[in-house]
Amino acid sequence: MEFNASRLHLPRYRTSVAADLCIPTESVQADASNFAVLELFTERRDMMSLPVTEQQKPIGLISRNIFMSQMSKPFYHEVYGKKSCIAFMDKEPLIVDGAMSIEDLTFRAVEAGEKALADGFIITEDGALAGVGFGLQLMNVVATMQAEKNRQIMHSIDYASVIQRALLRTSDAELRATLPDAHLEWQPRDVVGGDFYFFERHAGGWFAAIADCTGHGVPGAFMTLIASSALSQALRDRGPHDPAALIGAVSRAIKTLLGQDAGSDAAAGHAGSNDGMDCAFLCYDDASASLRFAGAKLALYVVAPGAEAVRAIDGARMGVGYVDTPPGYCWHNETLAVPAGSLLFLTTDGLLDQIGGARDIAYGKRRMREQLLAQRDAPAGDVAAALLRDSAAWQGRQPRRDDLTFFCFRL
C-alpha cells in the first residue's frame, strides 16, 4: 500500500494519529527460518522491514538492509539459514498503538533513535499487529501538519493586520483633511506591529499622537489595542488640550488593565505583565498658533525657518504603564510658539535604533537631524522619502530590528 503524505490524506477534523501512517504488511512467526525471511525479501523487493510476531503480537522487526547484508556473508546460509529468524531481529523495535497522536509518536521516534527513523516502527491495534510506519512518512506528515499550522497562523495574523490598519484609517482621513503638508509613516516590522498613531480634529485645533508599545508582532499589536483604547477613553473624559494629563490617564489605565497598579501582586513582584509604551502627544491651537507637547521617552524635533540646527524638545524619561512607573507620576507640557513654515518631526525608536553602516551601529539622531536639515524646505512627503531612502541604505543587509513610525508636518 502506498502512503500519501499530502494534506488531503490527513484527517481534517481530528488529531492525526499513528494509524494514519499504517501500511499493512506481511509478518513472520518467531519460529520461521531465516530461509523463509530470505524468500520473502527476495519476492517482495519493496519490503523494507518485516515484523516478527507471536500469537499476532509483534515482538521484533527485521530490517531488510541488515538482514540481506548478514546473509550475504560467507557461510551464513549454511550456519543460519535453518535457524529461527530472531537471530537477525531487532528485539526492541519501536512499537506504538495506532491511537497515539503524531506529536507523541514524533517524540517516541526521536527517543528510539536512528533505527526507528531508518528501519521504521510497528503499529498495533488492541495489541495486535496492524502494520508498519516509516521515518520518511512521519517526517512528511509532521512537515505537512506544521505547514498547515503556519498557514492558519499567518492567515489569522494577516486578518489581524486588516483590523489594525482599519483602526488607523480614521486618523489617516482626519490628518489628510487637516494638514495638507504632512506625512505619517507606519511600517510594522512584522505583519502587525506594536506602534500606533492617532490624529483627531477638534473645535479650534487638532490632537495627534504616536506611540511605541512594548514588543512587536502579535504581542505588540495586542498592546496597541489596549493603549489606543485607553487613549480614546482619556480623550472622551478629558478632552485634547492637556497632553501631559492624557499620558497620565493612559498610564494608569494600562497599569490597571495589566495588573501593575499599587496594591496588586505587582507590589510584591508578581505582576504578570511589565509592559507599556513610549509616546508623544501634541495639541495644536488654531487661535494662538501654539503647539502643546508632552512626551514619554520620545522627543519633538523642530526646524524653524532660517535656523541652523534642529531643536529637540525631549519628553520625560518615564515610560507609560510598566511596573516601575509610579501611578501618580506627572508628565509635563511644553508650549511652543511655532513660526509659520516650521518643519516638525516625531519618531519612535525604530528609525533611530536600526543597525547598519560599515560598523553595524545605530542610525542615530545625528543622521536623522542631518536629513531634516538637508530637506528643511521640502514638502513633508519629500522629507519622509529622503529619510526612508537614507535609513534603507544605512540598514543594508541587516534585518529590520523594530517597527518604524514617524510623523513629519509643516505648520
Side-chain angles (χ1 to χ4, degrees):
M1 171 181 169
E2 183 180 353
F3 179 80
N4 180 0
S6 70
R7 182 180 300 167
L8 294 177
H9 180 76
L10 298 177
R12 297 184 61 187
Y13 302 109
R14 64 168 173 81
T15 301
S16 295
V17 294
D20 299 320
L21 302 180
C22 186
I23 300 176
T25 185
E26 296 186 50
S27 62
V28 293
Q29 294 292 319
D31 57 0
S33 70
N34 288 310
F35 279 145
V37 173
L38 180 61
E39 183 178 357
L40 264 176
F41 279 141
T42 302
E43 292 177 355
R44 294 285 308 277
R45 296 185 180 277
D46 61 328
M47 182 181 291
M48 302 308 298
S49 295
L50 180 64
V52 180
T53 61
E54 278 187 349
Q55 298 178 347
Q56 295 187 328
K57 292 188 176 181
I59 62 169
L61 190 66
I62 301 174
S63 165
R64 176 190 186 88
N65 292 334
I66 295 175
F67 179 86
M68 299 300 280
S69 174
Q70 293 295 323
M71 290 298 286
S72 66
K73 293 180 180 180
F75 308 114
Y76 269 52
H77 273 240
E78 293 80 358
V79 175
Y80 292 102
K82 295 181 179 180
K83 291 186 176 180
S84 167
C85 63
I86 64 174
F88 301 121
M89 176 186 78
D90 175 9
K91 299 176 177 62
E92 295 182 348
L94 175 60
I95 302 176
V96 299
D97 186 84
M100 178 179 287
S101 71
I102 292 293
E103 183 178 8
D104 289 342
L105 172 57
T106 303
F107 286 114
R108 288 286 306 277
V110 171
E111 290 172 359
E114 184 178 347
K115 67 178 184 179
L117 298 176
D119 299 331
F121 45 89
I122 294 173
I123 300 172
T124 63
E125 182 178 354
D126 297 328
L129 174 68
V132 293
F134 294 96
L136 181 59
Q137 297 162 351
L138 177 59
M139 291 170 61
N140 284 338
V141 168
V142 170
T144 300
M145 291 171 60
Q146 189 61 50
E148 178 64 16
K149 287 182 180 179
N150 289 344
R151 187 193 67 79
Q152 293 175 0
I153 291 170
M154 287 309 303
H155 178 75
S156 296
I157 294 174
D158 285 341
Y159 195 76
S161 175
V162 173
I163 296 172
Q164 190 173 41
R165 290 175 186 274
L167 293 174
L168 301 172
R169 190 171 298 132
T170 301
S171 293
D172 292 335
E174 292 272 287
L175 176 60
R176 287 193 299 269
T178 305
L179 294 177
D181 192 2
H183 183 91
L184 210 161
E185 188 71 26
W186 183 74
Q187 294 185 12
R189 192 199 76 167
D190 306 308
V191 181
V192 292
D195 288 2
F196 76 94
Y197 56 86
F198 182 91
F199 189 95
E200 182 179 71
R201 177 77 188 181
H202 61 82
W206 51 262
F207 174 84
I210 68 168
D212 178 3
C213 296
T214 307
H216 37 71
V218 174
F222 268 97
M223 280 301 302
T224 68
L225 295 177
I226 293 171
S228 60
S229 176
L231 173 57
S232 296
Q233 184 62 51
L235 283 165
R236 288 193 293 269
D237 294 343
R238 297 171 176 270
H241 302 290
D242 189 347
L246 288 170
I247 293 179
V250 172
S251 183
R252 289 188 292 274
I254 290 174
K255 290 174 71 65
T256 298
L257 286 167
L258 299 182
Q260 301 168 355
D261 51 331
S264 72
D265 287 343
H270 301 302
S273 164
N274 186 22
D275 301 294
M277 70 179 188
D278 303 340
C279 66
F281 291 0
L282 297 174
C283 182
Y284 182 74
D285 181 70
D286 291 333
S288 62
S290 63
L291 190 71
R292 185 168 288 179
F293 162 76
K297 295 189 174 182
L298 296 186
L300 170 66
Y301 300 93
V302 182
V303 185
E308 297 299 323
V310 178
R311 179 187 176 193
I313 299 94
D314 292 325
R317 298 178 65 83
M318 183 67 69
V320 177
Y322 300 106
V323 171
D324 293 336
T325 299
Y329 185 85
C330 292
W331 284 263
H332 296 287
N333 292 314
E334 292 278 353
T335 301
L336 312 172
V338 182
S342 295
L343 178 68
L344 296 96
F345 186 77
L346 296 168
T347 184
T348 62
D349 60 8
L351 173 67
L352 304 178
D353 291 350
Q354 177 58 51
I355 296 298
R359 294 184 293 161
D360 290 339
I361 59 176
Y363 183 74
K365 295 179 181 178
R366 180 179 63 81
R367 292 173 184 81
M368 180 267 292
R369 289 171 185 257
E370 289 173 352
Q371 285 298 313
L372 292 180
L373 283 174
Q375 303 293 326
R376 57 190 304 162
D377 298 321
D382 293 346
V383 176
L387 273 168
L388 290 173
R389 285 194 301 271
D390 193 57
S391 63
W394 179 261
Q395 178 180 339
R397 295 185 178 180
Q398 288 286 340
R400 172 76 70 82
R401 289 172 63 90
D402 202 353
D403 305 314
L404 185 153
T405 302
F406 63 75
F407 177 37
C408 61
F409 61 99
R410 197 178 300 279
L411 293 174

